[in-house]
Amino acid sequence: MSEQAKKQTIKEQLEKELATWQTKMDEAKVQMHLGMKETEDKIKPHVEKLDKELNEAKVKLEAFEQSSEGAWEEVKAGVESSIDVMKMAFESAEKHFTKDKK
């Protein structure tokens, strides 16, 4: 066999082997894509449920924050009212106390 023939045979063998590996790689990519799709299909309902729960939790937190602000406003108003009553009681007591000293 001549050098040229040997060279051609080696080239053909390498091309054939490369084609085989390309086919295997294409198959692997398809299997990987199918595997990802299968995994996505299995996980998707769980992700959707978690996303829904997260959104509900955010809504509840926002409602809590709003109600808490309202509650703090009510507490503040109540404390201010109590302070006003205490001021009036103190002023009244002070009037009686100073009246007795005169």
Side-chain angles (χ1 to χ4, degrees):
M1 189 182 279
S2 72
E3 279 297 312
Q4 187 66 18
K6 286 182 184 179
K7 198 175 187 182
Q8 186 63 30
T9 304
I10 292 172
K11 182 181 176 194
E12 289 171 359
Q13 285 175 344
L14 291 174
E15 286 174 346
K16 184 178 177 185
E17 194 169 335
L18 285 175
T20 301
W21 279 107
Q22 184 63 54
T23 302
K24 288 180 181 183
M25 286 300 297
D26 291 344
E27 258 182 56
K29 288 177 182 178
V30 168
Q31 290 299 322
M32 185 174 69
H33 179 72
L34 291 174
M36 287 188 314
K37 183 65 179 155
E38 182 180 339
T39 301
E40 180 184 350
D41 290 344
K42 287 180 181 179
I43 292 175
K44 190 175 182 178
H46 301 289
V47 171
E48 288 173 350
K49 182 179 179 182
L50 289 172
D51 192 38
K52 180 182 172 194
E53 293 294 327
L54 177 61
N55 287 331
E56 287 178 10
K58 286 178 182 178
V59 168
K60 288 177 182 177
L61 177 60
E62 186 177 312
F64 173 76
E65 287 173 347
Q66 289 174 356
S67 69
S68 292
E69 285 179 24
W72 281 109
E73 291 297 321
E74 289 175 17
V75 168
K76 179 184 173 192
V79 169
E80 288 174 346
S81 176
S82 295
I83 289 172
D84 290 342
V85 170
M86 287 188 293
K87 282 181 187 177
M88 289 189 304
F90 182 78
E91 288 170 3
S92 178
E94 188 178 40
K95 285 179 189 175
H96 288 288
F97 179 73
T98 53
K99 207 193 281 186
D100 291 339
K101 284 198 165 187
K102 289 183 185 176

